[in-house]
Amino acid sequence: MTHGFDKDFWERHWQQGRAGRPGSMGGNPPNPYLAREAGGLTPGTALDAGCGSGAEAIWLASRGWHVTAADISSEALARAAERAATIGAPERLQWVEADLSHWSPDAQFDLVMTHYAHPAMPQLEFYDRIAGWVAPGGTLLVVGHLHTTGSTGHGHHPPAEASATPAVITARMDGTEWEIVTAEECLRTLTGPGGRAVPLHDVVVRATRRR
């Protein structure tokens, strides 16, 4: 199954309302891997590539980061801005409506992160693209769907074109430029519709750009 992942796809996705569904969406808390991987970093500038409803960007801003949060969906950004108004630090957040297949920031960042973002381009090329936005000494954090046999996009399984493995992601990173800190396959369980336990198979990669 091929997904377009274009603006119309994501506007429909967010307009349908996904409260209570798996993933860091709607009113859900920020992804737990963010606190684990970025909690010890010194606050600076950050870019959230494919921010959705803003949970991760808001988490960073509440801890002193100045965050640029970009997403293709105006519906998602409207939810994010409304949610951010409650944290007491909206001045640390900039919301940008952008197609990450084409848009580029005009500066590099101390932290560039993405959580389950799928722009209308090959997934690994997207990771290559955002890696270029990390400042020397900065951090790249990728949280995505783990590619497993039979990833078809049905039910809660992401399509293969939106998935990857840690080995495939890190193999594209030049060892003279990047220090790999985390490259893991993770399993966590969320509560889905009707209180049903839903397993999520994730890939988590964190790397530091060498000076």
Side-chain angles (χ1 to χ4, degrees):
M1 178 182 295
T2 299
H3 290 65
F5 297 130
D6 57 7
K7 182 174 177 61
D8 288 344
F9 174 93
W10 289 113
E11 293 293 6
R12 290 195 304 271
H13 175 83
W14 285 104
Q15 288 167 3
Q16 288 171 357
R18 297 270 180 154
R21 296 294 298 276
S24 185
M25 309 174 73
N28 285 5
N31 193 292
Y33 304 124
L34 175 60
R36 190 189 77 179
E37 299 295 332
L41 300 178
T42 301
T45 60
L47 173 70
D48 189 356
C51 66
S53 62
E56 289 76 31
I58 292 169
W59 186 90
L60 286 179
S62 70
R63 285 155 179 80
W65 290 81
H66 291 268
V67 186
T68 299
D71 201 278
I72 197 171
S73 169
S74 59
E75 177 72 18
L77 291 170
R79 294 189 191 188
E82 181 178 350
R83 187 174 182 179
T86 67
I87 70 165
E91 72 279 358
R92 297 197 194 107
L93 285 156
Q94 178 185 10
W95 306 105
V96 178
E97 184 177 337
D99 181 345
L100 294 169
S101 300
H102 307 289
W103 176 85
S104 294
D106 56 9
Q108 292 181 312
F109 298 84
D110 300 313
L111 169 64
V112 174
M113 63 179 184
T114 186
H115 293 77
Y116 310 118
H118 315 310
M121 64 186 296
Q123 193 68 27
L124 292 172
E125 290 182 15
F126 169 61
Y127 296 152
D128 294 343
R129 181 171 172 76
I130 67 173
W133 303 341
V134 179
T139 296
L140 174 69
L141 175 61
V142 171
V143 178
H145 298 296
L146 176 65
H147 178 70
T148 57
T149 302
S151 294
T152 63
H154 296 291
H156 299 302
H157 299 286
E161 67 268 25
S163 309
T165 65
V168 169
I169 295 171
T170 57
R172 300 170 72 96
M173 307 181 79
D174 185 342
T176 64
E177 184 177 2
W178 294 95
E179 177 187 356
I180 307 301
V181 180
T182 302
E184 296 180 354
E185 299 178 4
C186 302
L187 172 65
R188 63 190 178 108
T189 302
L190 297 184
T191 302
R196 182 167 56 92
V198 178
L200 284 185
H201 297 269
D202 296 324
V203 53
V204 181
V205 172
R206 174 164 63 108
T208 302
R209 189 169 192 171
R210 303 181 191 273
R211 296 184 183 276

